[in-house]
Amino acid sequence: MFLKNVFKQTLLVMSMAAALGTSSLAMAADDTIKVGVLHSLSGTMAISETTLKDTMLMLIDEQNKKGGVLGKQLEAVVVDPASNWPLFAEKARDLIEKDKVAATFGCWTSVSRKSVLPVFEEKNSLLFYPVQYEGEESSKNVFYTGAAPNQQAIPAVDYLMKEGEVKRWVLAGTDYVYPRTTNKILEAYLKSKGVDEKDIMINYTPFGHSDWQSIVADIKKFGGEGKKTAVVSTINGDANVPFYKELGNQGISAEDIPVVAFSVGEEELSGIDTKPLVGHLAAWNYFMSVENDGNKEFIKKWKEYTKNDKRVTNDPMEAHVIGFNMWVKAVEQAKTTDTDKVAEAMIGQEVPNLTGGTAKMLPNHHLTKPVLIGEIQENGQFEVVSKTPEVPGDAWSDFLPDSKNIVADWTGKETDGKPCGNFNTETKKCSGQKYE
């Protein structure tokens, strides 16, 4: 295995040397900037994450054609953590310690992010995390390019309350930190809006859950008691396929009990018959169906790169586009890949998003994002039925007692001059990670 790895590395360095036109293999190896790609290519999350690996390879290839960064070519280092949460941490450590990556783009589930977080903080390396999550976190080593709850979950509930006149709520999720924390926020929010506890049903299932018959029957019964009911779904990964199939099997239409999903996009729908799902909803910050020149160009480049006209685009892909383009600008601005200098340069970066607006990186390491609600169509795409202007991402929820007085600001302007991701505005104390 050792000789095999050495042989592979030698070939890689030789090919780089040939491409760069230099006779020095050492010079060629030093003349690239390595970028980690940490996405599951196997296991239950591969259905969602493989596309993000391909997205990063396309972005890196595109940047190299522009001349790379700081006069150097970028080199993708792709690993497969295989939907195994402890393995995410091992692979992250390898990327930082052995491969010496300048930054890593990766993870999908919050449990994978939580697994790698101590590694990135210990080794002082950067992670760009592209998926919606539960909030309640702001690390100086992470840039959260997906949605916080106030950029997806809360607006989705508001939409159903106003447009669908929903009175009863099923909060259905996969059993891990993102659904549980998001549903905790949503339960508190619903109660603040006058929803009675008996009108809220909460259910969790394990990753990869496949037998949905009894659960869907319970949802159908809960929704048949005289009040308009909706399902708010934080079900993740390949469990979505049998869940939606069972909805169709039991004749639950969007008119009867609409489902709004936070982890189902174009990629997940490409693997199932969407006819019974027409009219069900998803809340994201991007849909492939958005009409503007920037999105059309991105879709064209994606299909050309993959050489597959059937490949779709989705929200986490856009998050990687935004995060990567900001990272490139920050590195060029800082004139180095040094973690602290790039992190400082990241705050305030602005790049076009793919929905016709502008994404800005905030001092809490979250983005400004529009909130889009889309209806599933027969072709597996979404018709946008609601869109907001750009909303600033909130790292800490106003609807949880332990969080409502917490702010994050890595410039220190709102945290008494001390850059902090967990600053209590009442006690004036910074908990957890901070700049010394």
Side-chain angles (χ1 to χ4, degrees):
M1 179 61 73
F2 173 78
L3 290 176
K4 185 177 180 181
N5 287 338
V6 169
F7 178 68
K8 283 185 176 180
Q9 292 168 4
T10 303
L11 286 179
L12 174 62
V13 173
M14 289 177 66
S15 67
M16 288 191 297
L20 293 168
T22 175
S23 60
S24 170
L25 297 184
M27 184 183 296
D30 291 341
D31 218 27
T32 65
I33 296 174
K34 292 184 178 181
V35 178
V37 181
L38 183 66
H39 283 300
S40 294
L41 310 180
S42 57
T44 188
M45 293 309 302
I47 185 176
S48 298
E49 292 194 66
T50 300
T51 289
L52 299 187
K53 178 266 295 183
D54 294 338
T55 302
M56 286 306 304
L57 294 182
M58 180 184 78
L59 293 171
I60 289 169
D61 180 67
E62 186 177 59
Q63 187 63 35
N64 282 338
K65 289 177 181 176
K66 296 176 183 177
V69 178
L70 299 179
K72 298 181 179 182
Q73 292 285 285
L74 300 177
E75 178 186 345
V77 183
V78 178
V79 295
D80 178 18
S83 307
N84 180 316
W85 320 134
L87 189 58
F88 265 90
E90 293 180 29
K91 295 292 186 181
R93 188 172 293 276
D94 286 346
L95 286 172
I96 299 166
E97 292 183 345
K98 297 180 181 179
D99 297 301
K100 309 295 183 185
V101 297
T104 298
F105 294 75
C107 299
W108 181 290
T109 68
S110 284
V111 68
S112 66
R113 188 193 72 257
K114 292 286 190 184
S115 177
V116 305
L117 184 59
V119 178
F120 282 92
E121 292 183 346
E122 174 199 339
K123 307 306 295 185
N124 194 30
S125 189
L126 295 179
L127 170 68
F128 287 78
Y129 177 64
V131 185
Q132 84 290 340
Y133 85 120
E134 69 281 0
E136 309 306 296
E137 180 181 299
S138 179
S139 169
K140 76 181 182 71
N141 295 96
V142 181
F143 288 94
Y144 306 82
T145 56
N150 73 307
Q151 296 172 309
Q152 186 187 37
I154 299 293
V157 166
D158 285 341
Y159 175 83
L160 287 171
M161 279 184 166
K162 181 179 178 181
E163 302 296 332
E165 298 182 342
V166 172
K167 305 296 183 185
R168 302 197 94 193
W169 303 85
V170 179
L171 309 181
T174 302
D175 193 4
Y176 74 106
V177 62
Y178 160 60
R180 283 193 173 274
T181 307
T182 299
N183 287 342
K184 188 177 179 181
I185 293 169
L186 287 178
E187 184 179 12
Y189 181 69
L190 289 169
K191 288 179 178 179
S192 77
K193 292 293 185 178
V195 178
D196 195 284
E197 189 167 356
K198 64 179 174 53
D199 289 323
I200 302 173
M201 170 183 169
I202 302 176
N203 182 80
Y204 296 103
T205 48
F207 279 98
H209 189 70
S210 59
D211 184 5
W212 289 94
Q213 188 171 356
S214 61
I215 295 171
V216 170
D218 289 342
I219 292 171
K220 190 173 183 179
K221 181 180 178 182
F222 185 77
E225 297 180 6
K227 292 182 179 180
K228 183 65 176 179
T229 301
V231 176
V232 180
S233 171
T234 48
I235 298 165
N236 260 265
D238 54 11
N240 277 294
V241 176
F243 171 66
Y244 277 96
K245 283 184 177 178
E246 188 58 34
L247 289 177
N249 291 343
Q250 296 198 27
I252 298 178
S253 70
E255 292 182 359
D256 300 326
I257 303 176
V259 176
V260 61
F262 302 156
S263 297
V264 172
E266 294 84 350
E267 186 71 23
E268 289 77 16
L269 290 178
S270 66
I272 61 177
D273 177 14
T274 57
K275 288 181 181 179
L277 308 182
V278 171
H280 287 299
L281 305 166
W284 290 100
N285 312 106
Y286 163 87
F287 287 113
M288 184 178 180
S289 58
V290 169
E291 291 283 345
N292 67 65
D293 292 341
N295 191 35
K296 288 180 181 177
E297 179 64 21
F298 175 69
I299 294 169
K300 179 183 176 185
K301 287 191 295 187
W302 172 243
K303 292 185 175 183
E304 288 175 352
Y305 178 80
T306 60
K307 297 181 174 59
N308 184 347
D309 195 52
K310 294 183 178 180
R311 289 292 293 270
V312 297
T313 60
N314 63 21
D315 179 285
M317 290 174 65
E318 189 217 25
H320 263 343
V321 171
I322 292 169
F324 180 78
N325 288 338
M326 284 186 171
W327 175 77
V328 169
K329 288 183 67 176
V331 170
E332 295 284 8
Q333 180 179 315
K335 297 181 173 58
T336 178
T337 58
D338 176 80
T339 293
D340 291 338
K341 292 179 180 178
V342 172
E344 183 179 356
M346 275 291 299
I347 296 174
Q349 291 292 345
E350 296 186 14
V351 299
N353 59 31
L354 297 178
T355 57
T358 300
K360 181 177 181 178
M361 183 57 69
L362 303 173
N364 63 5
H365 286 195
H366 291 66
L367 290 174
T368 57
K369 285 176 167 285
V371 183
L372 281 65
I373 310 292
E375 283 189 1
I376 298 174
Q377 306 296 295
E378 284 194 23
N379 63 357
Q381 291 294 314
F382 292 86
E383 178 184 350
V384 178
V385 296
S386 175
K387 180 183 177 182
T388 72
E390 272 73 11
V391 175
D394 190 355
W396 300 93
S397 176
D398 295 334
F399 301 100
L400 296 179
D402 294 338
S403 302
K404 63 182 181 180
N405 296 321
I406 305 298
V407 297
D409 185 341
W410 290 105
T411 68
K413 291 180 180 179
E414 294 187 21
T415 52
D416 281 4
K418 303 170 184 176
C420 176
N422 186 342
F423 184 82
N424 190 308
T425 57
E426 286 193 341
T427 65
K428 305 298 182 182
K429 291 183 178 180
C430 179
S431 300
Q433 188 197 37
K434 57 190 173 186
Y435 281 123
E436 299 297 339

